[in-house]
Amino acid sequence: MAITVLIVDDSKLARIVAAKALTALQPEWEKVEAGNAQEALGVLNSQKIDVAMIDFNMPEKDGLELAAEIRASHPMMPIAVITANIQDEVIARAREVNATFVSKPLTEEGLRGFISGAALRLRTGGV
């Protein structure tokens, strides 16, 4: 079963770092990138996405707003909100939309828990 991960960040460098960390953990997973929320929603409408990794701090629509939109149409999708903004409010909002909070700078180690949980959820059908 092919797994496709959507990496959303307005920084090309951050998308490269996220893709590299993801590849180290799950080399066979496919990666699709989007530079903002609108691009991400376009990708979601045009192809099957299994997992989303979303930057919090983006222009126009922040990552939590995007996560809430994705959650409405993809209730079982594993979603990570990735940010250096480690305020309680941001962490609480991530939990409200059933997203995993992952802090920046993004590392393979920091991403491991989310990715292994996502893999398990996808294998067991989201239970």
Side-chain angles (χ1 to χ4, degrees):
M1 174 175 88
I3 303 292
T4 304
V5 180
L6 175 60
I7 299 171
V8 187
D9 199 307
D10 56 319
S11 161
K12 176 71 175 159
L13 180 62
R15 291 195 307 268
I16 291 168
V17 168
K20 189 175 175 193
L22 178 61
T23 298
L25 296 166
Q26 292 287 354
E28 71 284 0
W29 287 13
E30 293 178 33
K31 291 163 278 311
V32 179
E33 295 182 13
N36 58 46
Q38 282 313 111
E39 271 182 42
L41 293 170
V43 168
L44 281 160
N45 288 328
S46 66
Q47 67 186 89
K48 181 181 172 292
I49 299 295
D50 302 290
V51 178
M53 294 169 42
I54 307 168
D55 179 41
F56 169 67
N57 197 10
M58 294 187 292
E60 292 166 39
K61 189 180 290 190
D62 75 34
L64 287 167
E65 292 172 302
L66 176 59
E69 272 189 61
I70 293 171
R71 179 62 64 225
S73 57
H74 299 78
M76 301 311 290
M77 180 185 290
I79 299 173
V81 174
I82 302 166
T83 182
N85 186 347
I86 16 184
Q87 296 176 30
D88 290 343
E89 178 198 344
V90 175
I91 296 168
R93 283 180 57 205
R95 285 196 186 117
E96 282 172 25
V97 296
N98 194 18
T100 301
F101 180 89
V102 179
S103 63
K104 279 185 175 178
L106 189 61
T107 62
E108 184 182 324
E109 198 52 49
L111 195 56
R112 178 168 287 136
F114 169 71
I115 293 301
S116 59
L120 180 65
R121 228 154 102 191
L122 293 167
R123 269 197 310 275
T124 58
V127 180

